[in-house]
Amino acid sequence: MARQDLKGKVAIVTGASSGVGWQAAVRLGEAGVKLCLTARRAEALEKLRHELESKGVECISVPGDVTVQADVEQVVRECLTHYGRVDLLVNDAGVQSYGFFDELPWEHLTRTFDINVFGFMRFARAVLPHFKAQGSGHILNVQSMLSKGSAPLLAAYSASKHATLGWAKSLEMELVGTGIQVSNVLVPSVATNMFAHAPTMFGLAPKPVPPTYDPDVAARAVVRCATWPGRTVVPVFLGGRLMLWVNALLPRVGKALMGRFGARMQMKDEPVQRPEGNLFHPMAQGVGPYGPVPPTPLWKRLSATAGLAALLGGVVLGVAGLARAAR
Ligand SMILES: NC(=O)c1ccc[n+]([C@@H]2O[C@H](COP(=O)([O-])OP(=O)(O)OC[C@H]3O[C@@H](n4cnc5c(N)ncnc54)[C@H](OP(=O)(O)O)[C@@H]3O)[C@@H](O)[C@H]2O)c1
């Protein structure tokens, strides 16, 4: 797809009250995009709207819940009333729910799907008639490395992210030749507020699987995809492309490591009582792009990459040596 000039384009950004959605809105605004921000927390959206307007970005905020059809329609309607069009939908709103699969309340599983999967689909169905009428448009989905991989304690989340990637890939095919594009950004662990308001069944504060990147990495990938639509991108190497390669080439390594250490890697020693978190209702905590866990510094990411590369190189040389000896 040809390069898109973002200046003057109109975007709806869901999940804009914190994390990747917030930062993506900031970056899109800086690129000249006019914005319609949505999430449940009206005050947080207003805070972002003021921040953006002070930088000269045209912006409206329309609070709503992605699980409520009427709210979704209202957001699209207000966007069209204000700007007269919509060019880009950034599907970002999402929740994580920590717990062993058989111990997660059933309502947590269905609610996770209602937000992460049906929320994306509701918004896509609400904008598609307008995209079809104007013969152009772009649905850009904020996915996860767990759209392809998996992790213990996150069965509901991981299943929901696999579902949205499968849905997006089918939709992309259905829309060939219509002028409407579908893109996906597979986000690694990023230092957002997700870990400040995610529900957990463990009484301990959750934390991302390291390395943890700056949410701006995801936001800049959103802008790149908006500029060059129709792609599925993995914006980082260590917690991204390398992980996919290792999973494809040495699937037992990932399973052994995450099976043995994955649960512990995702919990701090900090007690917290948050069995429902922001799953059913928004929480006051966690406004803005950054959350309680800082991004992993670059030097640590680089030394981990070098260590892993040396380990993989050693495994490959060992296997090659064994094969030669057996001949
Ligand atoms: N953080 C990570 O490590 C990571 C990794 C991979 C992928 N991602 C993906 O990145 C996206 C954003 O996550 P994040 O890390 O930025 O988390 P976050 O800071 O918790 O942001 C999630 C956003 O979704 C909104 N939201 C949640 N439930 C909603 C509902 N029912 N209706 C409307 N909005 C709702 C929240 O706002 P309100 O509470 O105000 O509604 C918030 O704005 C998600 O799709 C997530 O799967 C994150």
Side-chain angles (χ1 to χ4, degrees):
M1 174 79 190
R3 186 181 197 282
Q4 299 294 300
D5 183 5
L6 297 185
K7 215 165 170 43
K9 289 264 158 63
V10 175
I12 294 174
V13 180
T14 76
S17 61
S18 73
V20 175
W22 178 295
Q23 192 60 19
V26 169
R27 289 293 183 194
L28 286 168
E30 287 168 359
V33 176
K34 299 173 184 176
L35 294 160
C36 173
L37 311 171
T38 186
R40 291 168 300 183
R41 290 171 296 177
E43 276 178 26
L45 293 178
E46 279 302 284
K47 191 169 175 223
L48 176 57
R49 186 171 72 79
H50 285 129
E51 187 182 312
L52 286 165
E53 283 178 349
S54 71
K55 292 180 180 173
V57 179
E58 196 174 339
C59 189
I60 58 168
S61 79
V62 188
D65 188 319
V66 297
T67 67
V68 179
Q69 182 65 29
D71 287 6
V72 172
E73 286 167 11
Q74 174 81 4
V75 173
V76 176
R77 199 165 40 243
E78 289 201 25
C79 180
L80 290 167
T81 305
H82 187 83
Y83 295 114
R85 62 185 290 119
V86 55
D87 302 293
L88 169 66
L89 164 67
V90 179
N91 258 334
D92 170 84
V95 285
Q96 244 175 200
S97 190
Y98 288 86
F100 287 111
F101 168 67
D102 54 343
E103 292 168 10
L104 270 181
W106 188 255
E107 300 70 37
H108 285 207
L109 295 170
T110 55
R111 177 77 180 170
T112 301
F113 266 69
D114 207 7
I115 297 168
N116 294 3
V117 184
F118 298 123
F120 276 27
M121 293 185 184
R122 277 186 199 96
F123 260 102
R125 281 166 78 111
V127 296
L128 271 170
H130 307 286
F131 286 177
K132 285 189 173 168
Q134 69 198 21
S136 67
H138 184 186
I139 296 170
L140 197 167
N141 303 300
V142 177
Q143 302 280 1
S144 166
M145 288 308 295
L146 295 188
S147 299
K148 289 197 172 172
S150 40
L153 311 186
L154 290 175
Y157 176 77
S158 178
S160 73
K161 287 300 191 184
H162 276 252
T164 48
L165 188 58
W167 158 74
K169 288 288 176 187
S170 294
L171 182 63
E172 192 179 5
M173 289 173 180
E174 289 182 13
L175 293 172
V176 166
T178 62
I180 304 165
Q181 302 291 324
V182 178
S183 304
N184 300 284
V185 176
L186 270 64
V187 175
S189 290
V190 282
T192 69
N193 279 305
M194 190 165 246
F195 311 93
H197 44 216
T200 172
M201 304 303 289
F202 297 103
L204 290 171
K207 63 175 181 180
V209 173
T212 306
Y213 291 81
D214 192 305
D216 200 40
V217 163
R220 282 187 277 118
V222 165
V223 175
R224 277 198 305 278
C225 260
T227 311
W228 298 98
R231 299 181 306 154
T232 292
V233 300
V234 179
V236 300
F237 181 71
L238 178 59
R241 290 184 293 281
L242 181 66
M243 220 163 79
L244 293 179
W245 295 339
V246 171
N247 275 346
L249 295 172
L250 304 165
R252 288 189 193 180
V253 173
K255 183 176 158 187
L257 286 177
M258 287 306 281
R260 182 78 182 80
F261 305 109
R264 214 181 315 146
M265 273 158 79
Q266 295 181 83
M267 273 180 266
K268 292 192 206 173
D269 287 333
E270 184 187 314
V272 69
Q273 281 311 315
R274 221 167 53 213
E276 292 197 345
N278 69 342
L279 196 54
F280 298 95
H281 305 285
M283 290 180 69
Q285 289 96 306
V287 169
Y290 293 97
V293 180
T296 309
L298 182 64
W299 70 267
K300 276 197 186 172
R301 298 207 303 267
L302 290 178
S303 24
T305 310
L308 247 169
L311 181 74
L312 285 175
V315 170
V316 170
L317 285 178
V319 170
L322 283 175
R324 204 172 319 126
R327 263 192 255 127

